[in-house]
Each structure stands twice: as C-alpha cells, then as structure tokens.
Amino acid sequence: MKNIDSNTHVRGESIYVDDIPPRQGTLYACVFDSKVAHGHIEALDVSKAEAHPDVVKVVTYKDIPGINEIGGIIKDEPLLAEKEVHFQGMPIAMVLATSEHSAHEAVKRIEATIKAHHPIVDPREAHAKGELIIPSRTFRLGDSENAWDECAYIVEGSAESAGQEHLYLETQGAYAYPTENGSIRISSSTQGPTQVQRTVGAVLGLPMHKIEVDVTRLGGGFGGKEDQASAWATFVALGVYLTGKPVKYILDRMEDMRMTGKRNPYVSDFKIGLSNDYKIIAYQAEYFQNAGAAADLSPAIMERTLFHSTNSYFVPNVTVQAHSCRTNIPPNTAFRGFGGPQAMFVIEAAITKAAEEIGVPASVIQKANLLKEKDKFPYGQPAGGNEAVDSWVRAEEKYDIKALRAEIDAFNQSNQLYKKGLAFMPICFGISFTKTDMNQARALIHIYSDGSIGISTGAVEMGQGVNTKMVQVAAHYLGVDPSRIKIETTNTTRVANTSPSAASATADLNGKATGIACNALVKRLTGAARKKLGLSEQAVITIKDEFIHVDGQQTELGWEALVQFAFLERIALTENGHYATPTIHFDKEKEKGHPFAYHVYGTAITCVTVDCVRGRYEFDYVKIAHDFGSSMNKIVDLGQTEGGLVQGIGWMTMEELMYNKEGRLLTNALSTYKIPDIYAVPKEIEVDFLESDKENMAIFKSKAVGEPPLMYGIGAYFAIRDAVKAFNPQAEPPFSAPFTPEKVLMGLYDGKANNVESVPVGAVKAKG
Amino acid sequence: MIKFILNNTPISTDKHSGTILLDFIRYHKALTGTKIGCREGDCGACTIMVGDLRNGQLHYESMTSCLTPLGNAQGKHIVTIEGFNGDGLTPVQQAMVDEGGTQCGFCTVGFVVSLQGFCLSSKPQTYENAIAAIDGNICRCTGYKSIERAAQRIVDHLGNYKGQDKMNWLVEQGYLPAYFKTIQQQLETLKAELPQPITPQNGALTPVGGGTDLYVQRPAEMRKTAINHFLDQNELKGISRKGDNIHIGAACTAEDLRSSTIMQEHIPNLHAFMKLVSSTPIRNMGTVAGNFVNASPIGDLTIFFLGLNASIVLSGVGTKRTIALKDFYKGYKQLDKQQGEFLEEIIIQVPQQPIGFNFEKVCKRTHLDIATVNSALQIKLSGDTIIEAHASAGGVGPTPKYLQNTCNFLKGKPLTEATIQQANEVIQDEISPISDARGTKEYKRLLLRQLFYAHFLTLFPDRIQLAQLV
C-alpha cells in the first residue's frame, strides 16, 4: 500500500503549519537571541523595538506567568534567559508584531549588554572541569581489566564523530490562538504533542486540559522536533496568553540552525583486545558526549550509547563509561539513532585500527565476532531472534563478495588517479524507549453510522508512513477496505498522555493499540451480526472483505448494513485501545535488564571511488541485507532504508557541523552546511529483504525501520579510509567523522606532500 | 504596474518590484503549494516554472521563487504546482506516487514542478536531463533513489512522444491543463502592452539580474530598493561572435552560456564544467555579469573567465571603457567601477589555433555548493614550449585571483613535471588563503596545488604523470 499522503503531497495540497490560513489579527513572533555563548546579561534595552510602529509587545522572562522552564528530563533550561546566557542562540526576548517582516526588523533594534565568560565547546574540557549534566554511567560485562593478559593483540585509540543538523525541510514553527475560558489551541510542528502541552502548561501556569495541541503532519523531524519543538510552541502560546491574539512563529532557516540543538558530537577513547584467532576478548570505551548547554534528551541519548557500545558483536569482557558533558553550544538532542550511531562508530574504529595493526581486513574481525543466538549484550538481555550472522552471510552470498573484491583489486591495480575502497557495516539496534514507562500508546476509533471510520492515535506523521501503517492495521482487523478509513490529526484532546513519535517504536506501539481497539469493536459487531442473522453461539463469525462471514462462508450482510444495525441496537461504535509493551524492564542500579522488545539486524557492503588528485569521492554502491522481520509495507520500508542510509552517509561524509572557539556556529546556512544532493548518493543502493518468521513483538512481526538503516552509513567512513590507504599505505587519518574531502586529501598526501606544509586535520568541533 | 500570468490568472499588481516572488505567491495569492525551505536558492522547495517568449517561441525554465524579484515576472507565465494540477494526477505526479518518491512531502512539490518543467523542455528528454532538472532540489527523507526511479518512469513515458505538437501532446496525455495552449497567445498580447524597459545606464537604480546573490545577502533591503531589472533587457541578451572575439551580454545567464553553441565550439567541455556550477534553476537565473560584480573571491564564473583572459565593457552615463577582468578587482569586494557604471558586456578572444582550457572546482559537496577552491587554466603550446598561460584561482585570497606571477613564470618554459612543480611554488607565494567553514588554509594550499596539477593531468594525460608530481 502506498503512502496515504502521496496524492496531496504531489499536488501541494498537504497542510503544514505555515499553510494554515491566518486568522484575522494574527501577530507574528520573532526571538531575540544571545550573540554570546556564555555570559551575564548586564543590560537589555528593548525600547527601540517597542517604538516600532508595528510592534505590539516585547516579551521577556518577567512576563512569564508560570515557571520559566522547558527542560524535559531535567529542569535546567529556561525558555527566556534571565541573567545568564549559556549558548549563542539562547532566546532572551520575543517581539510580537503585526507582520513577520516588522517582527524581524524590531528584533534587530534590541540591544543586550552581555559580559562574556569563557565558553566551553570541547566536551573533554567540560569533563575535566566537572561540568556534567548527570552522573557518569558505566555498563559492565565480565572483567575487562583482568582480560588483557589473555589477549594476543591490544589496540588503543580515539575516535570522534561530529554533530549533525537535522535539516528537516520544514523549519520549526507553531501557530496558536485563544479559545474560550483562557484555553489555547496550538498547531505545532512537533513529534511530541504531549510534551508541548505539558511544557506550555507549566510555563503559562495552566492545567494541561486548557492547552490543546494539534499536529497534522511534519515536513521532516528526524528527532529534531521531539523535544526541541516545545520552545517555539511555548513562545506562541505565551504570546496568545499575553495579548489575547493569534500568534504565529515560523523560524527562518538561519534562526533554526542557530538556535536549535543537533545530534550530539562525541569524542571517545577505546581499548580493544583480541585473541590469535581474532576473537574480541575485551573492549573498553569512554564516551565524552557533547550535550550542549542543557540536558534536553542527552541523558537518554547517553544511555542508548551504552546500550549500543558493542554493536552486533559478542564481547565477553566489556567496560564502557559515558559522560554527558555540559558545554556552551545549543542543547543537543535526539537525531535518528539517538546515541547508537556514535557508539557504533567507536567500536568500528577500534576494530579497524586492530585490523590495520594486525594486517587483516577488518571484515575478518567483524565476522568472527558476530552475535549468536543466546549471546548476551553487556546489559544482560539475550540476543534473541538474532539475524547478525544470517544477514552477514546473506550479504556475502547474494552480492558475491569475492567477485566484488576482485573487481576492486583489479581497478586499484590498473588505476593511479582513482582508488576504490570497501567496507562491511553490520548493525544491531534495540527497539523500545529505554525509559520503560514511555512504552505505551492509545488509539481512539470511531465507526460512524454510515460505516466510515476515523482513527486517532498518538502517532505523528512526518514522512515515515506511520499513518499508512495504521490504516493497514485497522483494515486488517476490521475486515474493511482501506478507503473507509481516515487517520485524524494527532490531537491531545483525543489521545492524551502520549509518548513522542520516536525510538522507531511509533508504528509498533500505536499499531498494537489500534489492533486492540479494532478487536474490541469486531467483538461487538460480530455479536450484533449474530443477533441480526439469528446464529447460534457456536457459529464462527468474522468480518472480511467488507462482508460478514459465517464459518468461513460469505453472507449477504455487508459492513455498512451491519454498522447501521449495530447503531440502531445502541451498540458502542467507538473504542479506545491501550497498549503497553510487555516483558521489558531495566534496573538502573545494576545497569542490567531487558530494555528492548527486540533488536533489528543487518549488514551493508559499501564501495567508494576516491579521486586521488582532488580528494573527492563517489559511492559506487551500497548493498544491504536488512532484517525487516516480516515487512508489512515494502514501499514504505524500502524508503526508510534508503533514506536512513543516505542520511547516515551524509553524517559520515559532507555534513560538517563546525563551531568556533567562541561557540558560534560557522555552518549556519544551507550554503555552508551541505547534505547529500541527488548526485552525492550512491549510484546503486540494493536492499535485500531478509524476511524471517521468527517471533518478535513488532506489529504484524514487521520490525521497526525508522532508525536502524542510518547506521549503515557508517560504512561510508571506513570505505573511504580503505581507498585512501590503497593510494597511500602510510596514511594514518584520525578516526574523525565526517570524512570530508579536506580530510581525504590530507590523508592521501599525508607524508607525501613535497612542497606544501601538511598538517594533520584537528578536531572538527572547534576551528578558527 | 507589473503584469504577468500566474497559472491561469492574469495578474496586474502595483506591489514593489523588489517584492520576493515567493512571498507574493504564498502570502498575497495564498497559493501554499510552493514551500519555503531556505530562502537562499539552496533547497528548491520553492521552485516555480517561468514561461517566456524567446524569438516568438514559448520557453519554460525553472527558477527558485525565493530569490526572484516580482519585477522579473513582468510579461511572463509563472507556474506553481497549482497551475499544473488537473482533475487527476499528471504522469509526473503519478510516477512520484507509484515509486514512493514522497515521504514527508515538504520538498515534493519542488521536485514535481522541476520534473513538469523537464517535460515541457525542448532539451533531449533523457534520464540524465531528467536528473539534471531536479539537481537543485534537496530531499532529506528519501535518499533520492525512489525519485530517480520516478524520473526513469517519466522518461519512459515521454518516449511515446513522436514529434507532434508538443503542447497539444502534453495536454492530451494529462501532463498539463488545457489552458497551457492559450499561454503563447496571452503572452504575445501582454508583451505588446508592456512599457519599454529602463535603460541600463540609469545610475539611480540598483541593477538586479537574476537576484541570486542580492536576495541571499540582503533580502529585507531589496524588498524596498528601487531596481533596474536588467535580466530581460534585449540589448543585453545574446552571445555573438564578431571576428576573433566572443561577446557576451550582461543579461546572459549561466544557462545561456552553457547552451550557447558559440561557447561550446570554443570550449568543448563546457557542459561538464558548468555542471560544477550551482544548480539548474540557479543557472537559469544568475547572470555572468552578476557573478563578476558580486566580487566573491570564489565566484565560479569569475574564475572561469579569468582563465579565459576576458575583458569587460563598463558603460556609464555617456562613457564607455574596456578593461581586463583581472584588473577589475582591487581588494575584498572592491571594484574598479564608478558609481553609475554598469557592466554591459564581456569579451573573450578566440585564438586561431585550438587552445587547452580546463576548469576545476572542489567543495564539500561536488554539486550545488560553493567552491572551497576553484581554478581555471588556459594554455598555449608551441611544440613542447608554453608560449602563453592564463591561470586563475578562487578561495585563496580576498579577490578572485588571476595568478599573474605563475602565468609569467610558465611563459617560455618546457611542458614538464618539473616546470609544473616549480610553478606551484610560485602559486604558493602569490596566494593567501584563510581558514574558514570551507576549509583550513593548509588544506586550501594543498588543494590548489592539486587542482593546478589536475589541469595538466587533464589536458596532457600522456605527457604528465601524477607520480612524477607528488
């Protein structure tokens, strides 16, 4: 089934926040933000802005009726700075004006005198100074300290991965207007409507029932609108509260890039020990997560890093420790993979470094250590329903790895100006919110008296096709044609207390809730059919293909007639389904438990061609064997796989997020921050649907697909490295992602440049 | 009054000619299918089709409405997604649906409009050209593969066209609503009514070509500036050969340059070079002269023409002078240009015997990106001796750099690896790169060395070996 939004998307008729027709009297908001990363506000002069003829009000923290606090996990983030500023882009004041242009003009007239303090941008510096968001955490399995003696090879090193801008094509924004009795209705581009509702309630000092949040769809989210959408929705709600007028704020691209957080950059140290036959005996890693200026979701992201420290490998002795380091850049946040990719990059770097020192291909070590059934992760959960080995073998066989390698060797033998490189990238990703209590969802289903159906869930549609999957679930259980079903907007007055659409778990959680509601309705409707058809208790009644079936035989009784009959019989045609993932639990004291409903596995083979004169590169192919469980929608799942992969390749190659030492974002526009365009993607992406009927807890056994494919992109880094070393075997490029054309060229000519001073490329996190 | 046709509606507006067309479409006309993604021409979410009469022929090309001043719509047919929608889906829309080419949908309209434009285009309707049509559109969801599959479907379907009247065929096949058949006539009528454009020498007005730089740098100011819209002034259009010279009018866009047979004859690799410059919609808007006057130290076309040793004609009120392009740049964004002077024409010499010319550019993303370093080289040999060389480099100093010392050094030297290595040393002495978001200064030095080597490796693959250079 195709994405149900496709037709309106291609016709430009889908509605995003900025497309909502403005109400009369609408005011436009614009935020004045700090130009200093760390400092004390000595004076704030808004008088010139107030004097602008179109300005209605300039809002500061003093105007906040409730608490000046938007932190989700930890209460450490004010909506508007009071005395201290903690990052460049931190909101200080908000202008409300009668036009968008005037609001922007007026913001330029605000003057702040800020005494600057030393800003920290490097997480190691923050760690050394004790600037931690939460106490550090350590996961342990076996005894790594005492295992080094058993190792034939021990390799140590460092790895760093830069942040990543979400670059959802639709920027952050919200539009709110007052309703009766002091209530406010907000249209928000958010993945977490309940989080918006809760935050607005707290800031305005209003109970949650006075705040209605409605989401039609997002023009992309990728985690960037999980927690970070709340601020903008709160700003417009605050404007409504203070003026009684509708208020709209759509960030322009540079505001969005400057003021919002991104994927957490990490710097990490690793130590890995292997036996003579390349079994990993012990692994240690220490992760320094750059959290930015406030907690946001970083503590949960750090936890997921620990959960994914060993990727799809079994290691008997593991000690991994993570620090969430407070720095003076915007609070970093969720981004597809949520700390998992950062962890995987480190162990892949460790394996690659070990392979280079031992003198074997990295794939030999990777393959020798893949998880087997019943192997345990460092947090104690067994790797059940495991496809680590199967997906690897499938990729090797289906894509004929011997032929691929022979082709690359031949090319490299006969070409001086271009070299090819290859990398394997196995993945293993846990599905569930690691905060167990978030693994719950509800669905509200109305069957109208004419037989049409409306479904509300907590799921937010942002391109991942979750609404399409909800239609499939309901059509399956109710036995009706999908065209009867409409998916309503996501609205806090219809489905309350929702978890954000995140963690790849949205279709599972909301799909299961939808299924539960459908089953309850089917039970009542088949009861009605029994009465209408005068059937005995023994008759088996089902609804299929829009007709009532008795003992497998289709009757004359159709869906519409049955619904009409049930309605007249005063049978409830509305149902609320509730689902909470069973089995899962986690003990944070022991750092052990069973946090995930299941894991998703897969293996990718990436081949790149590096232009050894210019340092450019092109990806020839990425060939994937991916564990879909039993895919319920191949067109949606293929789209998620290809899109996730390319986003991961972007993170590993051209997406270079740079802050200077003063904490200013240098790559603050699409002209300086580059994401893949159509010519930058692999020439060929092949996806093999590794289907299995093994039991899993996914909806229709169709495994979650949102995040895992992103991590195939990590293979891009190691393929480039392979090609650079084919040209210059002496090259020792640091394990520093992204592998930009700059780092490639420096690597190609590392020690080879005869008349140019060649310097190693330092940390990407701070330049200039 | 600005008059044009917006989809199927004649527009006559007294709004300021500097108004951004995207704002006019979305906020004044409430056509919300066109999206705002970046407002700097880098994402394509606001792509529109612009139809114009050229030599009596109706011709459509894509533009980004975020950088287009309303004044540039004068006398044209502006088509948004709403203007392509019919009762059912067009074959383009259907292909995008069938291949799953849309996920969140926000970029989708831009892709659809660009592909609709491809169908209208008179270029060969190959898969490569279909992809080129969407090379200015960014998608963050799909990874483009499903969109590539949709493009292939469209190309296959267009293969059914057998040379009949194209507009009729597209209407019959459901690509276009029937009103498109009336546009040619409507534009002819409209053009006849329009006033003559203001002369380029009017110094009181700010000259704006395609808007691709000014509307990125200072959009708020441009909305209120009195503008001389020179993009459509016929006397500034056109590329012609006069004796040993090629003359390029100030209003020539990068696309005009790319598609010129005169230029292609002179530079056989022109298409490959121009593929490195920006994207299809931006090339449809940005003028060559605008690239020169903007004075960016990494302007691709500036570097390109410095390598061609171009001259420019500057005309003021009652004055006209010709200077070498390399003498135009005095310092960072400082030009040898008087108040009221207007860059009217670009002239390059076409030598009798064939020359070697090469253009190189490296950036973080190979396409649709600003150069980290770019470079051009024109070289003339007599036997094994270099008798003339023009080398340029961008991104290595405050101005687009003509590598004068390097050119002087090369003259009279034998074409050998040793000469090239020594020339690189001269280069390293005459450049002064700084570290910025595009790269460190050390990298830029190494990169220019490599691009300089690449010129020779490309032009003389049998004579120059990389292994001998590094």
Side-chain angles (χ1 to χ4, degrees), chain A residues 2-3 5-7 9-16 18-19 100-101 105 108 164-171 217-220 222 248 252-254 335-336 416-417 461-464 612-614 616-618 635-636 638-640 642-644 646-647 650 654-656 658 666-667 669-685 727 740-743 745-746 749 752-759 761 767-768, chain B residues 23 26-27 32-40 42-43 45 81-82 85-89 93-94 96-100 102-109 111-112 128 131-135 137-149 220 223-224 275-276 358 360-370 421 424-425 428 435-440 442-443 445-447 449-451 453-455 457-458 466 468-470:
Chain A
K2 283 159 197 152
N3 186 320
D5 283 341
S6 300
N7 279 30
H9 282 354
V10 298
R11 292 173 61 88
E13 293 166 353
S14 299
I15 294 171
Y16 304 83
D18 195 27
D19 302 334
E100 195 176 11
H101 290 160
E105 275 173 18
K108 293 199 182 82
Q164 185 176 25
E165 163 64 44
H166 302 85
L167 230 136
Y168 27 65
L169 262 282
E170 178 208 29
T171 55
R217 67 169 57 73
L218 276 52
F222 315 114
K248 179 172 173 175
D252 69 31
R253 180 61 65 183
M254 284 175 86
F335 195 141
R336 208 173 194 170
Q416 299 309 309
L417 305 184
E461 176 61 46
M462 49 191 162
Q464 83 280 45
C612 299
V613 177
R614 300 167 184 85
R616 289 198 293 242
Y617 42 77
E618 285 185 344
I635 194 163
V636 167
L638 177 63
Q640 288 297 296
E642 293 172 336
V646 167
Q647 218 166 49
M654 66 183 72
E655 296 188 31
E656 189 175 30
M658 290 163 58
L666 301 178
T667 46
L670 265 68
S671 54
T672 44
Y673 185 82
K674 310 309 286 188
I675 67 166
D677 69 339
I678 198 162
Y679 292 128
V681 298
K683 292 198 190 86
E684 183 192 343
I685 297 175
F727 179 80
T740 56
E742 171 164 0
K743 289 181 207 165
L745 198 70
M746 296 308 242
Y749 293 94
K752 276 196 147 194
N754 57 9
N755 52 9
V756 175
E757 189 193 356
S758 174
V759 298
V761 180
K767 257 189 214 173
Chain B
D23 292 340
R26 276 188 67 86
Y27 301 130
T32 54
T34 307
K35 302 301 179 200
I36 304 173
C38 70
R39 286 190 179 273
E40 56 175 344
D42 264 321
C43 79
I81 188 68
E82 290 85 354
N85 284 338
D87 293 335
L89 298 182
Q93 291 169 327
Q94 190 65 52
M96 286 287 278
V97 170
D98 290 345
E99 293 295 348
T102 174
Q103 289 187 20
C104 85
F106 204 79
C107 72
T108 304
V109 168
F111 278 93
V112 170
E128 289 67 30
I131 298 302
I134 49 178
D135 65 10
N137 294 92
I138 294 293
C139 171
R140 190 53 153 168
C141 293
T142 61
Y144 302 98
K145 286 293 156 190
S146 50
I147 298 171
E148 289 176 0
R149 292 189 284 269
R223 287 198 298 262
K224 297 171 182 170
K275 194 179 171 187
L276 297 172
N358 190 45
E360 294 282 344
K361 171 180 176 180
V362 166
C363 22
K364 277 185 201 163
R365 185 173 71 196
T366 301
H367 301 93
L368 182 48
D369 196 359
I370 296 167
Q421 284 176 325
N424 172 56
E425 286 174 26
Q428 299 298 331
S435 297
D436 60 18
R438 302 188 200 289
T440 60
E442 295 82 9
Y443 168 58
R445 283 186 177 277
L446 175 62
L447 181 55
R449 182 193 81 167
Q450 294 297 115
L451 297 187
Y453 290 175
H455 290 315
L457 292 166
T458 304
L466 178 65
Q468 303 300 313
L469 287 167
V470 297

Side-chain angles (χ1 to χ4, degrees), chain A residues 479-545:
Chain A
V480 298
D481 192 86
S483 63
R484 283 200 185 275
I485 300 165
K486 179 188 174 211
I487 302 295
E488 305 289 354
T489 63
T490 314
N491 187 298
T492 52
T493 66
R494 275 179 265 117
V495 180
N497 306 322
T498 58
S499 291
S501 289
S504 306
T506 316
D508 281 358
L509 296 173
N510 292 280
K512 296 257 182 174
T514 300
I516 288 166
C518 288
N519 280 336
L521 287 164
V522 166
K523 195 173 173 194
R524 292 206 286 272
L525 284 169
T526 51
R530 194 179 305 278
K531 181 171 178 190
K532 177 151 174 91
L533 297 172
L535 297 169
S536 70
E537 286 300 314
Q538 283 70 42
V540 178
I541 306 173
T542 52
I543 310 173
K544 207 178 131 197
D545 301 333

Side-chain angles (χ1 to χ4, degrees), chain A residues 398-399 404 603-607 618-626 628 637-650 676-689 709-710 712-713 716, chain B residues 99 103 127 139-149:
Chain A
K398 178 175 166 83
Y399 301 124
L404 296 179
T603 300
I605 303 171
T606 301
C607 178
E618 285 185 344
F619 292 94
D620 299 294
Y621 54 78
V622 180
K623 296 173 186 287
I624 297 170
H626 184 77
F628 289 95
D637 287 352
L638 177 63
Q640 288 297 296
T641 307
E642 293 172 336
L645 164 70
V646 167
Q647 218 166 49
I649 291 175
D677 69 339
I678 198 162
Y679 292 128
V681 298
K683 292 198 190 86
E684 183 192 343
I685 297 175
E686 208 173 335
V687 180
D688 181 50
F689 280 64
L710 180 129
Y712 293 131
Chain B
E99 293 295 348
Q103 289 187 20
Y127 175 75
C139 171
R140 190 53 153 168
C141 293
T142 61
Y144 302 98
K145 286 293 156 190
S146 50
I147 298 171
E148 289 176 0
R149 292 189 284 269

Side-chain angles (χ1 to χ4, degrees), chain B residues 226-270:
Chain B
I227 295 173
N228 167 14
H229 296 275
F230 72 83
L231 188 65
D232 298 309
Q233 292 172 15
N234 280 330
E235 64 273 27
L236 298 176
K237 282 267 177 214
I239 296 173
S240 57
R241 183 156 178 169
K242 293 172 189 160
D244 288 345
N245 291 330
I246 295 175
H247 293 250
I248 299 162
C252 280
T253 62
E255 174 58 27
D256 292 336
L257 189 74
R258 196 190 82 100
S259 55
S260 155
T261 48
I262 293 170
M263 286 303 295
Q264 282 167 26
E265 211 170 286
H266 184 46
I267 301 170
N269 275 335
L270 185 67

Side-chain angles (χ1 to χ4, degrees), chain A residues 42-58:
Chain A
E42 298 190 322
L44 180 67
D45 181 2
V46 300
S47 59
K48 288 184 192 132
E50 283 172 337
H52 190 294
D54 294 342
V55 168
V56 172
K57 186 168 178 60
V58 179

